[in-house]
């Protein structure tokens, strides 16, 4: 099987993973991000863990919001990498632009899905954050590729 199909399949699977997170009802999604937050606190400095025991409701909400937004960014960072790898295997022109366009499209569909899930809300700010994550993933891959080529010259 050639790279074109492998990258395409991996990209499709990753989009499925992203959409599956969006299809989770609010309570399940909150439990997941809370679990990630607890894992981070348990594996971080003892000072932060001690300080977190003193946090009020506002600090906890901010902490969990940051966790959720980092999750959005990370999901789409990976998508940006997979998308450019997939598109680079095709004969289309403007590969970077098309990759970014497709990632923004996925982000828009992802947030639209959330409009129909109990307790969830689609947010334009999340489409922007997701899009930035995709662009950063794409740029990181291109930068690393450039460094790799220079090293091997």
């Amino acid at each position: 099987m050639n790279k074109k199909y492998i990258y395409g399949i991996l990209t499709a699977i990753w989009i499925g993973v992203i959409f599956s997170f969006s299809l989770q009802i609010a309570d399940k999604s909150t439990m997941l991000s809370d679990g990630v937050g607890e894992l981070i606190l348990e594996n971080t400095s003892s000072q932060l863990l001690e300080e977190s025991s003193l946090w009020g409701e506002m600090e906890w909400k901010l902490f969990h919001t940051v966790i959720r937004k980092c999750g959005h960014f990370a999901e789409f960072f990976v998508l940006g990498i997979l998308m450019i790898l997939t598109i680079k295997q095709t004969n289309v022109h403007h590969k970077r632009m098309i990759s970014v366009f497709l990632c923004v499209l996925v982000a828009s569909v992802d947030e639209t899905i959330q409009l129909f899930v109990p307790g969830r809300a689609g947010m334009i700010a999340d489409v922007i954050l997701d899009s930035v994550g995709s662009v950063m993933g794409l740029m990181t891959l291109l930068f690393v590729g450039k460094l790799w080529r220079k090293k091997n010259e």
Side-chain angles (χ1 to χ4, degrees), residues 52-97:
S52 69
S53 65
L54 303 174
W55 289 353
E57 185 178 341
M58 197 163 97
E59 287 87 357
W60 280 109
K61 280 186 178 182
L62 177 61
F63 177 72
H64 288 291
T65 298
V66 169
I67 296 295
R68 292 179 82 81
K69 299 309 174 187
C70 285
H72 271 271
F73 186 90
E75 286 175 345
F76 281 85
F77 184 92
V78 172
L79 181 64
I81 291 170
L82 291 172
M83 192 66 75
I84 190 65
L85 288 171
T86 301
I87 299 300
K88 283 179 91 172
Q89 304 305 312
T90 68
N91 294 325
V92 299
H93 298 290
H94 310 293
K95 291 175 182 2
R96 294 175 190 167
M97 248 183 0

Side-chain angles (χ1 to χ4, degrees), residues 16-32:
V17 167
I18 290 170
F19 289 169
S20 73
F21 284 134
S22 291
L23 288 167
Q24 292 177 341
I25 61 171
D27 291 342
K28 189 172 181 183
S29 177
T30 299
M31 282 177 34
L32 179 63

